[in-house]
Amino acid sequence: MQNLPLILVPVLAAQKVAGDGVIKPLGHHELLLVLVQLSLLLLVARGLGELMRRINLPPVVGELLAGVLLGPSLFGLLLPDLQAHIFPKSQEQSNLLSVISWLGVLFLLIVTGLETDLKLILRKGKTALLISLGGIIVPFITGFGLGWLLPESFLANPEKRLVFSLFIATAMSISAVPVIAKVLMDLNLIRRDIGQVTLAAGMTDDTIGWILLSVVSGLASSGKFDFGTIFHSVSAAILFLAIAFTIGRTIVDQILRWVDDYVGGIAASISVVLILSLSAAALTHGLGLEAALGAFVVGILAGQSRRFSNEAGHLLEVFTAAFLAPIFFASAGLKVNLLTLLVPQTFIFGLIVLVVACVGKFTGAYLGSRVGGLSHWEGLAMGSGMNARGAMEIVVATIGLSLGVLNPQMYSIIVMVAIVTSLMAPPLLRWTLSKVVMGEEEARRLEQEEQDSRSFIKQIQRVLIPTSGGPNIQLAAQLVGYMAHQNSIEVTSLYALSDKQPQSRERRMEATQLKDTAAEQAIAAVIEEMQLPADTMLQTKTESGRNKAEIILHEANKNYDLIVLGASEQINSQKALFNLLVDRVVQEAPCATMVVKSHLPHPKGEICKIPQQQLKKILVPTVGTEYSKNAVEMASTIAAQTGALVMIVNVINLPQIEYILYEQRSLAPVKEIAHDMLEQQAAIGRNLGADVKTYILQGTSPEKEILKFARAEEVDLIILGSNIRMVTGRVFFGHRVDAILSKAHCPVAVITVP
C-alpha cells in the first residue's frame, strides 16, 4: 500500500477487514423463483377471484382459496416435486414472498383508511367500542377454556398449559381487518353505516388483540407475567392514536398541501401518502403494535385532507386490488396442509376449535351490537364480518409456532380456522345484510353522497382567483365568498406581474415599489370582498414572469378545481372576447373556469372598491346540457347563501321546433319536454338549498327573450354554462352567450369545463 494514494489506504484496509462480510446481491435462482411464485399466485388468485365474481361471490373468496390450492393440500399432493421446487421450504425464499405479502396488507389498509368516514365512526364510536369489547371478551373466555381442556397431544409443551391457553384465547379474539375490508369493498358495502362500524370495531378489535398478543408472547418468552410489557403496549397504542388524530392530522394535511403546491400531480400525492404510511407502520411496529395500524391511521388522515385527490385514491385502490391484495390473500394459505387434518383426532378437535371460534366471536359481536343499539340482523351481520380471521390469525399461528407454544397439529388447526371463517364471511354478510332495513338517515346520506359524487359544485375544493383589483374581479370575489360559506373550499388569490424592468437602476427600483403596492392593493381588494368564513384556508401569492397568462396557467396546473377570472373592463382587441390574457387562460385552463363581467364602471388610475351587490334574483338559461347543470349548481349555491331566487328558463324557438319536430302545429309536446327538463334541473337546485322557479319562454331569438326577461324581472345576476369553441384563436361561446355577455344590464358569469 506504500505507493497508493493516501485516500485509498483506509478504503482497502476496511475491505480487507470486512472480508466475507460483503453483501451479495440476490441470487439468480432466488430471483427466478420469486418471479415464478408471484406470477403463479397472481394468475390463480385473480382467476379464481373472477370465477367467484361470476357466481355472485366476492373475489376475495377465490383469492384465499388460491393459496390453499397451490400449497401442499392439492398442488403438493398431485405434483409434489414441482410444488416443492416452486415453493421450497426455505426461510430465505419464504421471506422474499412474505415482504411482498406484507406490502399487500399495508396497501389494503391504506386504501381502507382512505374510504373510512371518520365523522361517521365518531358518531357511532360507542357502538363500535361495545362491539369490539364483546368481540374480544367472549372469544377470549371461550378460547381460554378450550385451551385448558384440549388434550396434551395438541400442546408443544404440556407444562406450559397456561401460556398455551392464553395464546389460543388471543388467537380466537383476533379479527382480520384486511379480509373484512376487502369483503366490504367487493360487496360495495364499505360506505354503509354497518360497513363503517364493522371497520371501526374490527380495527379496535385488532389493536386490543395485538396488545394481548405482545403480552402473551412476552409471557411465552420469559415464562412469567411482565406488567412492564403490558403497560408499554397499552400506553403506546393510546399515545400513538392520540397524537395521530390531533397533531398528526395537521402534519399530514400540511405535508400534502406543500407537495401539492410545490410539486403537484397525482404521482406526487400517492408517493407522499405511501411514504407517510410506511413510516407510520414502521413506527407502530417498533412500538410493539401492529404495523397495519400505522398504515390504516395514515390512510384515514390522508382521506380527510382536501389535497389528496379522489383520482389518486382510485389509482392506489386499483393497483392494490389488481396486484398486492391477491398476492397477500393467496400467499396466506401456502403453508396450510389440510391433509394433516384428515387424522381422525385432529379432524374432530379441529371442528371443535372451529365451532368454539365461530360461536365465541358471533356471540360477543352480537351481544355488543345489541347493547350498542343495533337490530337483530345488524348484530348477526356484525358477527359475520368480525368472524373473519384471515391471514392475521395465520400470522398469530406462525408466531406461536416459532415461540414453541404451538405444535404443527395445532398450527394447522388454527390456520384452517382462519381460512374457513374468512370463506364464511362473504356469503353470511350478504345474507344477513339483505335482511337489514336501511334507515331513512342512512338512505339520505348515501343518496347525498351519490349526488355529491356527480355534482360539479361539490367537487370544487380549490379555487384560484387571479386579481388585478378591478370591479369585475371584485364581484367575482363576492361570488367566491358565497360559495365558501356553503362548501368548504381553499382559496388562493394570485397577483401576476410582468418582470420586464426599465433600464436605469432608479427606474427599476421605482417600478418595483409601484408593482408591490399594486399587488398589495389588488389582493387586499379581493380578500375584503370575499368575506370568507374564519375556517377557510386562504393563500396569497405574487408571482412574476414574462407573460401573465403563463403565470396564471402555471399556478392553475397545481390541482385547482376552478379558476375565477374578471373580464377586462376595456376591450382593445377585436380578436378577444374578454381580453387576450383572459381568453388564453380560458382556452388552456386545466380545470373549470368562471369569468365574471360586472357591467360596473371602472375609474382609471386606481382600484375602485365596489359595494356589496344585493342578489335577489339569479337567472340561469338552460338547454338541459351538462354545462347548463353546472350553471344551475353554481347559482343555487350562491342563492342558498344570499337567499336569492334562482330563475331557470328555457326558450322554445317557435318556427324551428314546430317545423322540424312535429307536423301538427302544437307546442304542447315541446312544452312538456321543456317542463320535464326544467324540473330535473330545479330539483338539483333545491337539493342545494335554493329557492327555485322555472319558466318556459317562447320566441324566435333565445338571447333576446332571455335579455328581455332579465330586464323585466330585474334580475341581479345571470349565470351561463357553456363549452368553449375555438374561432381563429378567440374564445367563442356561441352567438347567444356572446350577445348576453355584451347586452345584459346586470352582471354575467360564464362557467366552462374543459
Side-chain angles (χ1 to χ4, degrees):
M1 293 188 187
Q2 293 179 354
N3 297 325
L4 290 173
L6 291 177
I7 193 171
L8 295 179
V9 173
V11 175
L12 293 176
Q15 288 181 346
K16 186 176 181 180
V17 172
D20 296 333
V22 176
I23 299 175
K24 298 179 181 179
L26 183 65
H28 173 81
H29 184 67
E30 288 81 0
L31 178 59
L32 175 64
L33 276 184
V34 77
L35 292 175
V36 172
Q37 289 171 354
L38 289 175
S39 59
L40 189 58
L41 285 170
L42 191 59
L43 172 65
V44 178
R46 292 292 295 125
L48 288 178
E50 290 303 316
L51 177 62
M52 293 298 113
R53 192 193 303 276
R54 290 177 183 272
I55 60 175
N56 208 28
L57 283 175
V60 68
V61 175
E63 292 167 1
L64 279 167
L65 283 174
V68 178
L69 298 182
L70 289 173
S73 303
L74 182 64
F75 189 24
L77 179 64
L78 299 177
L79 300 168
D81 293 338
L82 182 59
Q83 200 273 344
H85 183 73
I86 296 177
F87 299 102
K89 294 181 179 179
S90 164
Q91 188 63 49
E92 291 78 7
Q93 194 70 47
S94 177
N95 288 343
L96 291 174
L97 190 59
S98 296
V99 168
I100 299 171
S101 298
W102 267 105
L103 284 176
V105 176
L106 298 179
F107 271 62
L108 191 54
L109 267 296
I110 295 169
V111 171
T112 304
L114 293 173
E115 292 288 335
T116 301
D117 189 338
L118 193 58
K119 293 180 180 177
L120 178 62
I121 288 178
L122 292 175
R123 197 164 67 243
K124 304 280 188 179
K126 180 181 176 182
T127 302
L129 181 60
L130 289 171
I131 295 168
S132 176
L133 290 176
I136 284 283
I137 295 172
V138 176
F140 191 88
I141 293 173
T142 56
F144 185 84
L146 176 68
W148 201 258
L149 296 175
L150 280 173
E152 289 187 355
S153 59
F154 290 92
L155 276 68
N157 187 347
E159 296 179 0
K160 294 184 177 180
R161 184 174 284 275
L162 174 61
V163 175
F164 174 80
S165 300
L166 288 172
F167 208 92
I168 296 298
T170 303
M172 297 297 101
S173 304
I174 290 288
S175 291
V177 173
V179 175
I180 295 171
K182 189 66 163 57
V183 170
L184 292 172
M185 288 179 186
D186 290 342
L187 296 178
N188 198 27
L189 297 171
I190 200 163
R191 295 300 303 173
R192 288 280 304 274
D193 284 2
I194 193 74
Q196 293 290 299
V197 173
T198 304
L199 282 177
M203 204 68 224
T204 307
D205 203 8
D206 259 14
T207 302
I208 298 173
W210 284 93
I211 292 173
L212 288 172
L213 179 63
S214 65
V215 173
V216 175
S217 299
L219 177 62
S221 301
S222 63
K224 59 181 180 180
F225 279 104
D226 186 353
F227 291 100
T229 301
I230 299 174
F231 176 78
H232 169 78
S233 298
V234 174
S235 59
I238 294 174
L239 184 63
F240 172 76
L241 292 173
I243 293 176
F245 289 110
T246 52
I247 303 171
R249 185 202 302 264
T250 304
I251 292 174
V252 170
D253 187 54
Q254 290 299 324
I255 291 174
L256 285 171
R257 288 175 188 278
W258 187 89
V259 170
D260 204 20
D261 285 338
Y262 294 98
V263 182
I266 293 174
S269 295
I270 293 177
S271 295
V272 73
V273 167
L274 292 181
I275 292 168
L276 292 172
S277 299
L278 295 175
S279 300
L283 175 62
T284 51
H285 187 69
L287 292 173
L289 303 173
E290 185 182 356
L293 176 64
F296 179 68
V297 169
V298 171
I300 293 176
L301 299 180
Q304 302 299 308
S305 175
R306 298 193 192 98
R307 292 300 184 91
F308 190 72
S309 66
N310 293 332
E311 188 176 356
H314 177 69
L315 288 175
L316 194 58
E317 181 179 347
V318 169
F319 175 74
T320 303
F323 175 54
L324 289 175
I327 295 294
F328 160 63
F329 288 119
S331 62
L334 280 177
K335 296 179 182 179
V336 180
N337 188 356
L338 297 180
L339 299 178
T340 61
L341 299 176
L342 297 180
V343 177
Q345 185 188 31
T346 306
F347 180 76
I348 292 171
F349 280 98
L351 288 180
I352 293 173
V353 173
L354 177 63
V355 170
V356 171
C358 293
V359 171
K361 184 63 79 170
F362 261 97
T363 303
Y366 180 82
L367 291 176
S369 301
R370 297 295 281 162
V371 174
L374 299 184
S375 67
H376 167 70
W377 285 106
E378 286 176 326
L380 290 178
M382 291 300 304
S384 302
M386 299 283 285
N387 188 47
R389 278 16 183 252
M392 291 304 162
E393 187 158 88
I394 296 174
V395 172
V396 174
T398 304
I399 293 172
L401 189 66
S402 65
L403 291 173
V405 178
L406 304 179
N407 62 13
Q409 280 179 297
M410 200 63 207
Y411 170 81
S412 295
I413 289 174
I414 292 179
V415 171
M416 178 272 295
V417 170
I419 293 176
V420 172
T421 54
S422 297
L423 295 177
M424 290 168 58
L428 283 175
L429 264 175
R430 188 188 296 275
W431 175 62
T432 52
L433 285 172
S434 67
K435 307 291 185 179
V436 174
V437 179
M438 188 183 300
E440 291 184 8
E441 181 183 350
E442 181 182 7
R444 284 196 301 269
R445 178 179 66 82
L446 292 174
E447 183 182 358
Q448 188 63 52
E449 287 183 0
E450 178 64 22
Q451 291 175 354
D452 290 351
S453 68
R454 300 192 304 266
S455 170
F456 164 73
I457 200 73
K458 294 295 183 181
Q459 302 307 312
I460 296 175
Q461 296 184 342
R462 297 188 66 198
V463 177
L464 176 63
I465 178 165
T467 177
S468 58
N472 287 333
I473 197 62
Q474 290 183 56
L475 177 59
Q478 292 181 14
L479 302 184
V480 171
Y482 298 141
M483 288 172 51
H485 280 85
Q486 289 295 308
N487 297 328
S488 180
I489 61 175
E490 296 179 21
V491 181
T492 300
S493 178
L494 171 68
Y495 184 84
L497 55 88
S498 173
D499 59 5
K500 296 178 181 178
Q501 298 288 351
Q503 296 298 320
S504 68
R505 182 173 179 274
E506 293 77 9
R507 294 291 299 276
R508 286 199 302 269
M509 292 178 62
E510 183 181 351
T512 301
Q513 291 176 352
L514 289 173
K515 288 178 179 178
D516 290 343
T517 302
E520 291 177 5
Q521 291 177 344
I523 290 175
V526 295
I527 292 175
E528 184 177 354
E529 294 297 336
M530 282 189 287
Q531 299 182 13
L532 296 171
D535 60 346
T536 300
M537 178 66 69
L538 172 65
Q539 287 184 310
T540 60
K541 294 185 176 183
T542 301
E543 303 287 348
S544 60
R546 297 181 61 185
N547 185 289
K548 292 183 179 181
E550 290 179 0
I551 297 170
I552 295 170
L553 290 168
H554 176 74
E555 180 67 25
N557 276 290
K558 296 179 180 178
N559 292 334
Y560 285 90
D561 304 301
L562 178 67
I563 307 173
V564 179
L565 300 158
S568 174
E569 273 66 42
Q570 295 181 347
I571 303 295
N572 297 321
S573 174
Q574 295 298 319
K575 297 180 180 180
L577 174 62
F578 301 110
N579 65 14
L580 294 176
L581 184 151
V582 175
D583 277 34
R584 181 179 174 188
V585 172
V586 171
Q587 290 174 31
E588 301 180 21
C591 58
T593 60
M594 181 170 73
V595 184
V596 178
K597 190 169 184 179
S598 69
H599 293 282
L600 297 174
H602 179 66
K604 295 182 179 180
E606 61 176 337
I607 295 176
C608 175
K609 184 181 183 306
I610 67 170
Q612 192 76 17
Q613 300 298 298
Q614 299 299 314
L615 300 180
K616 296 180 180 179
K617 295 180 180 180
I618 303 176
L619 177 64
V620 185
T622 180
V623 291
T625 62
E626 191 71 16
Y627 305 111
S628 299
K629 183 179 80 70
N630 296 342
V632 169
E633 289 190 19
M634 180 64 73
S636 301
T637 301
I638 295 170
Q641 177 62 28
T642 60
L645 172 67
V646 177
M647 311 171 79
I648 308 178
V649 302
N650 176 251
V651 182
I652 298 174
N653 192 317
L654 292 174
Q656 293 183 9
I657 290 179
E658 284 193 300
Y659 179 75
I660 295 173
L661 294 181
Y662 301 100
E663 295 181 1
Q664 69 274 24
R665 298 191 61 80
S666 171
L667 282 178
V670 183
K671 286 185 177 180
E672 185 177 346
I673 294 173
H675 177 268
D676 292 343
M677 177 191 68
L678 288 170
E679 283 304 312
Q680 287 179 1
Q681 301 215 339
I684 295 172
R686 294 185 184 111
N687 185 60
L688 291 169
D691 183 15
V692 182
K693 286 187 178 181
T694 61
Y695 302 85
I696 298 176
L697 308 179
Q698 298 179 17
T700 57
S701 175
E703 59 271 22
K704 289 183 179 179
E705 296 301 325
I706 291 169
L707 289 168
K708 184 169 69 174
F709 180 85
R711 192 174 294 275
E713 293 291 333
E714 298 181 343
V715 167
D716 303 300
L717 173 66
I718 301 175
I719 298 184
L720 305 167
S722 182
N723 60 339
I724 304 172
R725 309 171 200 177
M726 302 303 296
V727 178
T728 63
R730 174 185 183 273
V731 169
F732 180 61
F733 296 120
H735 294 294
R736 294 174 183 174
V737 174
D738 284 12
I740 294 171
L741 271 169
S742 60
K743 302 294 184 181
H745 75 286
C746 63
V748 180
V750 183
I751 299 171
T752 62
V753 178

